[in-house]
Amino acid sequence: MQHRRKPASAAAPAAAKQQPSRRPTAPLSLAGLVVAVFLLAVFLYNEDVVKSGGGGADVAVPGSVAVAGRARSPDLRVLHHHHEEHGEEDAATQKQPPPPAAAAKHQQQQQPQVPAGCDLYQGRWTFDAAGEQSPLYRESECEFLTEQVTCMRNGRRDDSYQKWRWQPNGCDMPRFDASLLLERLQNKRLMFVGDSLNRNQWESMVCLVQSVVPRGHKTLQKFVNNGSLNVFTAHEYNATVEFYWAPFLVQSNSDDPQVHSVMDRVIAWRAIAKHANNWKGVDYLVFNTYIWWLNTFEMKVLKGSGALRNNKGAAGWSKYALVDRPVAYREVLKTWAKWVDRHIDPNRTTVFFMGMSPNHITPWAWGNDGGIKCAMETQPIVNRTAPLNIGTDWRLHGVARGVLARYLHRVPAHFVDITGLSELRKDAHTSVHTLRQGKVLTPEQQADPKTYADCIHWCLPGLPDTWNHFIYAQIVSSSSDA
């Protein structure tokens, strides 16, 4: 049977057939419109909040009854699954990120660490052609460098010696951060004690830290304390980087910091108090003594200490005994170690002892039979398979390690083992691009490297920056923010 289609009037609900109310309809339409716009705005707002919440983070979105209702009755299975997948990421996403300045400061205060089991001194030299990590500063940017070490200014043409970076095996050096180091040095003293090679390293450290100190907030005082002390100060940090002249650590007839070219060198191997009184209260002490021991195979050791007490001058050093170099070296380091262990507070002061800085005067040892000392060398020794013998007295290296292990009981000392890695850097010496008797070598003198090449000291920027990078790694990895 066919169904007839009902007229439109029959399909309409009964309410539609009623007579319209006599009350005006405009206000109702306007109110409805306002309500609709309000609801739409709330809906769009909630959508934005949900999207900004990371698309899946379980957060309560205010202003939405439906979402709030779900938050009050969470699906525990979903939450459990979510935590299994993301672990602690939920807490991190719910934390408000810090403002950029606070985040930067927090990042700066993170404590760099040398990986456990990492031997920083075993590795290889890597050429950093782009200069991204080496050098750590520019020669022209450090106003405190002396002419003795500014090789480029003194006529050296290649700067490749500045771009070699030390890469330990199986780990990385903490990236050098001068600002972080100065934070660690705030209200503290860092002092290098030793000979001209430690002064070389001190100049390097001054250049490393001064780069982040504005002009007018840093000073350098030379030859204070009767000439034995040089002091760089970063005033905003109340931090000093100092150098104290004591080439044998104990007293000797070569202790005059400006007039010390004494050929007949004599040491007093039990007399250390005169120098050591200047080391008390220092927060970081970096000691070295080596190069001044190489002039002779036997050392002249003062007999008795009466000459020192009676202040007899040069005549007081005339009575001495000849002692084999390693024996004298051991006795001097024993005197030094006993003083350190007795007088240094290990809760305040960190002690470093530098390994031996080698010289390069035997070019045949690295295969350059026609070479003259270290002159014209522009590359490190690489791909070496046979033992390298350039004349380093490794006996003294062994003596130093033995004394540190045996005689320092209360105060630990860090042996900075630079010797082997520095032996490879025949290219990094000042050579003929340095001073002689206070004056830059003339072209005629530079043409005579056999007489004038300095294969003991190092150009800056250069190798001593790496030595200081080791010091930096120890300071920042063992310090706290307290």
Side-chain angles (χ1 to χ4, degrees):
M1 183 175 61
Q2 294 182 349
H3 296 280
R4 294 183 180 178
R5 181 179 297 177
K6 294 183 181 180
S9 59
K17 295 183 179 180
Q18 294 178 358
Q19 294 294 324
S21 173
R22 294 183 179 180
R23 287 179 296 179
T25 59
L28 282 178
S29 301
L30 181 60
L33 180 62
V34 170
V35 171
V37 171
F38 173 77
L39 291 175
L40 178 62
V42 170
F43 175 79
L44 292 176
Y45 171 79
N46 289 336
E47 285 294 303
D48 287 343
V49 172
V50 171
K51 289 178 181 178
S52 64
D58 292 300
V59 293
V61 183
S64 172
V65 176
V67 175
R70 287 197 299 271
R72 283 195 298 268
S73 302
D75 188 332
L76 297 180
R77 290 172 300 175
V78 173
L79 288 179
H80 180 69
H81 180 67
H82 177 79
H83 282 284
E84 283 184 337
E85 286 187 340
H86 299 283
E88 297 180 354
E89 290 180 4
D90 287 349
T93 56
Q94 293 182 38
K95 290 181 180 179
Q96 195 71 16
K105 184 172 181 59
H106 177 75
Q107 183 178 7
Q108 187 182 43
Q109 290 178 346
Q110 292 299 311
Q111 184 166 307
Q113 292 290 339
V114 176
C118 173
D119 186 350
L120 292 179
Y121 311 115
Q122 296 296 319
R124 65 190 184 280
W125 288 103
T126 302
F127 189 67
D128 186 358
E132 294 179 353
Q133 297 186 47
S134 297
L136 295 171
Y137 58 91
R138 302 290 179 183
E139 180 183 291
S140 59
E141 295 170 352
C142 185
E143 60 188 287
F144 302 107
L145 285 176
T146 60
E147 283 187 305
Q148 182 187 24
V149 299
T150 51
C151 297
M152 299 299 294
R153 191 184 307 164
N154 297 339
R156 181 160 178 166
R157 295 180 180 179
D158 75 289
D159 64 352
S160 58
Y161 65 93
Q162 301 179 7
K163 297 180 180 180
W164 288 93
R165 177 179 60 83
W166 180 249
Q167 176 61 57
N169 292 332
C171 59
D172 291 318
M173 296 270 281
R175 194 174 186 91
F176 192 91
D177 184 338
S179 296
L180 179 58
L181 180 56
L182 278 173
E183 287 178 12
R184 296 292 193 263
L185 296 179
Q186 189 163 13
N187 300 318
K188 295 180 180 179
R189 299 171 66 191
L190 166 62
M191 180 185 287
F192 293 83
V193 179
D195 55 30
S196 58
L197 283 164
N198 238 21
R199 184 178 63 215
N200 205 172
Q201 187 177 354
W202 165 75
E203 284 193 64
S204 161
M205 183 63 86
V206 168
C207 289
L208 287 168
V209 300
Q210 69 86 35
S211 61
V212 295
V213 182
R215 282 189 176 274
H217 297 271
K218 51 190 173 185
T219 56
L220 178 63
Q221 294 176 285
K222 286 193 172 183
F223 306 119
V224 298
N225 191 10
N226 297 320
S228 296
L229 190 66
N230 295 344
V231 182
F232 169 82
T233 305
H235 293 282
E236 287 186 344
Y237 294 88
N238 189 31
T240 61
V241 181
E242 309 173 29
F243 168 71
Y244 181 86
W245 174 263
F248 291 103
L249 300 183
V250 296
Q251 284 183 248
S252 74
N253 64 344
S254 305
D255 286 347
D256 189 315
Q258 294 177 285
V259 185
H260 52 253
S261 296
V262 180
M263 296 303 297
D264 199 21
R265 297 169 179 172
V266 184
I267 61 175
W269 64 11
R270 296 288 181 259
I272 198 170
K274 181 180 178 181
H275 290 318
N277 286 334
N278 297 278
W279 311 336
K280 293 179 178 179
V282 177
D283 301 277
Y284 298 99
L285 284 165
V286 184
F287 294 95
N288 111 296
T289 181
Y290 171 70
I291 201 68
W292 280 52
W293 294 80
L294 301 186
N295 279 14
T296 58
F297 290 105
E298 292 181 312
M299 302 299 297
K300 295 176 179 178
V301 179
L302 184 69
K303 287 185 176 181
S305 56
L308 299 179
R309 289 196 302 267
N310 298 328
N311 195 23
K312 293 183 179 180
W317 296 93
S318 60
K319 295 181 179 180
Y320 54 79
L322 292 175
V323 180
D324 192 38
R325 184 196 297 165
V327 175
Y329 194 75
R330 179 181 292 107
E331 292 303 311
V332 164
L333 290 196
K334 283 168 58 177
T335 298
W336 165 81
K338 290 177 180 178
W339 183 91
V340 167
D341 216 46
R342 187 177 300 121
H343 295 280
I344 292 297
D345 178 4
N347 295 318
R348 172 178 179 174
T349 301
T350 302
V351 178
F352 299 90
F353 191 89
M354 301 300 300
M356 292 67 222
S357 172
N359 52 30
H360 291 84
I361 59 175
T362 56
W364 55 89
W366 57 81
N368 185 6
D369 294 334
I372 303 176
K373 301 195 327 189
C374 64
M376 306 301 293
E377 296 288 351
T378 60
Q379 298 288 321
I381 300 171
V382 294
N383 300 324
R384 187 76 184 180
T385 55
L388 183 63
N389 182 12
I390 62 171
T392 303
D393 193 338
W394 282 93
R395 297 176 302 170
L396 304 193
H397 184 278
V399 166
R401 301 206 71 155
V403 169
L404 266 62
R406 182 174 179 182
Y407 292 96
L408 288 172
H409 307 290
R410 194 176 62 89
V411 182
H414 303 278
F415 185 74
V416 187
D417 196 0
I418 61 171
T419 309
L421 61 93
S422 299
E423 280 196 328
L424 303 176
R425 294 306 308 275
K426 60 183 173 61
D427 60 307
H429 289 286
T430 54
S431 186
V432 295
H433 308 290
T434 187
L435 302 181
R436 179 82 168 204
Q437 296 178 341
K439 297 181 180 179
V440 177
L441 295 181
T442 65
E444 291 75 20
Q445 290 172 323
Q446 289 183 344
D448 183 12
K450 185 176 182 179
T451 304
Y452 294 101
D454 180 350
C455 299
I456 295 174
H457 300 96
W458 308 91
C459 300
L460 292 179
L463 177 62
D465 303 329
T466 299
W467 303 348
N468 282 326
H469 205 154
F470 295 134
I471 300 289
Y472 165 86
Q474 181 63 41
I475 290 177
V476 300
S477 65
S478 62
S479 299
S480 64
D481 294 332

